[in-house]
Amino acid sequence: MTHNRPLGFWSATALVIGSMIGSGAFLLPAALAPFGAASLLGWGITLAGAMLLAITFARLAMRWPQTGGPYVFARNAFGELPGFVIAWSYWISIWCATAAIAVAFAGSVGAIFPALTATPLRAAMCALGALWLCSGVNLIGLREAGGLQLVTTILKLLPLLLFGLIALWFVDAKHYTPFNPTTQPLPHVANAAVALTLWAMLGLEAATVPAGSTENAQSTVPRATVFGTLLAGVATILACTAVLGLLPREVLAQSQAPMADAARSLWGPAAGVTLAVVMAISCFGALNGWILLSAQLPFAAARDGLFPKPFTKLDQGGTPVVGVIVSSVLASALVAANYSRSLVQVFTFSILLSTAATLLPYVVSSAAWLVRGTGAVSRTLAGLALVYSLYAMFGIGTEALAWGAVLILAGFPLYAWMRRRRVAPAS
């Protein structure tokens, strides 16, 4: 492994798993509780869609193993303007996700040490402290950030898998009945569940973003993407489904830490605290991974003249310094601007922004392989991934789509300015 390419297969896989398994796995059982066992339909659709996207991203990474992920795929397939739109949209999704996960970290710490998040200001300070600690690790170097990602992924993946496997032996079948406790038809329940479970699968494309810093990227990135998505998806679904079978729906729906409450009900207070610690580690690892991505994406766009040139500046450790700092400042501003709200409100608002801004890159990346890819089977899978992405996009609701449109439009003045600067000398 060279200094210029400090990320190997396990670091890349940890980036995928670590970016996917953050807050969602630990908080979703409460949101899914009203749907009962019917939520499995949503999980099934989401995992199938995630695997279709992972395979599509793997093929794209084999074709274009360059730093930038969805941005590179959009630019190479459709041109400069679509490339900028995806870079802008995806970058916004990253720092919004960073804010959401920082807030979730504060919530998990609050479950262990309530005094640290007793007021909105304390909770905001806790979130910002974790955010800038991870930013500091990334500023030290990519190798160090990749190492931290690998350690935190192991520390959260193994307990999550063990909890899911062991907890299955203690589930009460009565908590799964009736299968559909709502008054809505199953297709509507599945659609609502997909909108919720989608947050747990965001990040499956993470390994494609720092491809230029990955050893043997043409083979490493595709393998890490598919393997990481499958492992993270199975672990998350297993744990969330087990929790639904451990506590009554009414109790789960009101829980602030459903997985910790389920562990507490089985094995006592110490188990609940242990799960809260695992959740804190999980959020911290995801935070580290998303901050790593938040610098790589604008670096790639700036290298091509679509983002301001300072984003291309690298430090001695190979980290795009300006990208880390600017992205972290924007994420901090999102947390600070909403600090008077409850943690749940800030978390929900940040998720809304991140999900809305992520789905467009998924749509365009799937279309990129459908149009420019080779092989009937892989193009068919890309077509199915495109259908899933569109289904998920329209399933998140008009409010999220409206926010997504506003965020994209906000980037056009920057594109016009950068384009004018490039053509000015020749005029």
Side-chain angles (χ1 to χ4, degrees):
M1 192 180 302
T2 66
H3 173 75
N4 292 328
R5 294 180 179 266
L7 302 178
F9 171 73
W10 291 113
S11 293
T13 302
L15 186 59
V16 175
I17 297 174
S19 298
M20 290 176 66
I21 300 179
S23 56
F26 298 88
L27 299 176
L28 274 174
L32 294 172
F35 305 116
S39 61
L40 283 171
L41 295 175
W43 274 121
I45 294 171
T46 298
L47 181 59
M51 290 308 302
L52 287 169
L53 284 166
I55 293 169
T56 301
F57 275 111
R59 297 291 293 179
L60 287 163
M62 291 174 69
R63 176 77 168 272
W64 295 305
Q66 305 160 254
T67 293
Y71 153 68
V72 169
F73 308 148
R75 180 185 172 91
N76 291 348
F78 302 116
E80 182 181 279
L81 179 58
F84 172 81
V85 170
I86 296 309
W88 178 258
S89 177
Y90 190 56
W91 184 49
I92 289 172
S93 78
I94 293 173
W95 56 259
C96 287
T98 300
I101 295 168
V103 169
F105 172 82
S108 63
V109 169
I112 307 168
F113 305 107
L116 291 179
T117 57
T119 66
L121 180 58
R122 290 185 188 179
M125 294 303 295
C126 183
L128 293 175
L131 193 159
W132 283 100
L133 179 59
C134 287
S135 299
V137 172
N138 274 268
L139 289 172
I140 294 173
L142 269 177
R143 189 185 304 278
E144 288 73 17
L148 176 63
Q149 192 66 16
L150 184 58
V151 171
T152 55
T153 296
I154 293 171
L155 290 176
K156 65 183 172 182
L157 180 63
L158 292 181
L160 192 65
L161 280 171
L162 284 173
F163 171 81
L165 290 170
I166 296 173
L168 281 179
W169 292 94
F170 296 91
V171 298
D172 189 338
K174 72 180 182 183
H175 294 318
Y176 294 128
T177 56
F179 180 76
N180 180 14
T182 73
T183 57
Q184 300 176 337
L186 281 177
H188 290 183
V189 172
N191 190 35
V194 166
L196 291 169
T197 55
L198 177 63
W199 169 251
M201 295 295 162
L202 298 185
L204 61 92
E205 74 291 345
T208 69
V209 179
S213 299
T214 304
E215 188 179 31
N216 300 321
Q218 201 163 12
S219 62
T220 298
V221 172
R223 289 186 294 125
T225 299
V226 174
F227 178 64
T229 300
L230 180 61
L231 190 55
V234 169
T236 301
I237 294 173
L238 178 66
C240 288
T241 304
V243 172
L244 288 175
L246 293 173
L247 295 174
R249 285 190 304 276
E250 300 76 15
V251 174
L252 271 181
Q254 301 300 318
S255 175
Q256 299 294 313
M259 198 168 292
D261 287 345
R264 190 178 296 108
S265 71
L266 281 179
W267 303 299
V273 173
T274 300
L275 259 294
V277 171
V278 172
M279 180 180 171
I281 294 171
S282 176
C283 292
F284 190 79
L287 190 59
N288 176 72
W290 283 107
I291 288 173
L292 190 154
L293 300 183
S294 73
Q296 295 288 323
L297 194 283
F299 165 78
R303 180 193 54 198
D304 295 334
L306 296 182
F307 270 38
K309 188 176 180 180
F311 281 102
T312 61
K313 182 180 179 181
L314 299 177
D315 65 9
Q316 292 182 346
T319 301
V321 182
V322 175
V324 170
I325 294 174
V326 173
S327 301
S328 297
V329 167
L330 289 169
S332 299
L334 184 57
V335 174
N338 293 275
Y339 89 88
S340 61
R341 302 185 183 189
S342 71
L343 285 176
V344 173
Q345 288 175 314
V346 182
F347 179 73
T348 302
F349 180 69
S350 301
I351 283 178
L352 175 68
L353 291 178
S354 182
T355 303
T358 302
L359 285 173
L360 184 59
Y362 284 3
V363 169
V364 175
S365 295
S366 301
W369 189 257
L370 185 62
V371 173
R372 297 287 302 274
T374 57
V377 174
S378 66
R379 292 179 70 190
T380 299
L381 294 178
L384 293 173
L386 176 60
V387 171
Y388 166 75
S389 300
L390 290 170
Y391 166 75
M393 175 178 284
F394 290 107
I396 64 173
T398 55
E399 185 180 3
L401 291 178
W403 270 110
V406 169
L407 291 170
I408 290 171
L409 289 173
F412 278 92
L414 174 63
Y415 175 75
W417 179 63
M418 293 300 299
R419 184 174 176 81
R420 189 178 301 114
R421 288 192 63 186
R422 292 202 311 275
V423 301
S427 59

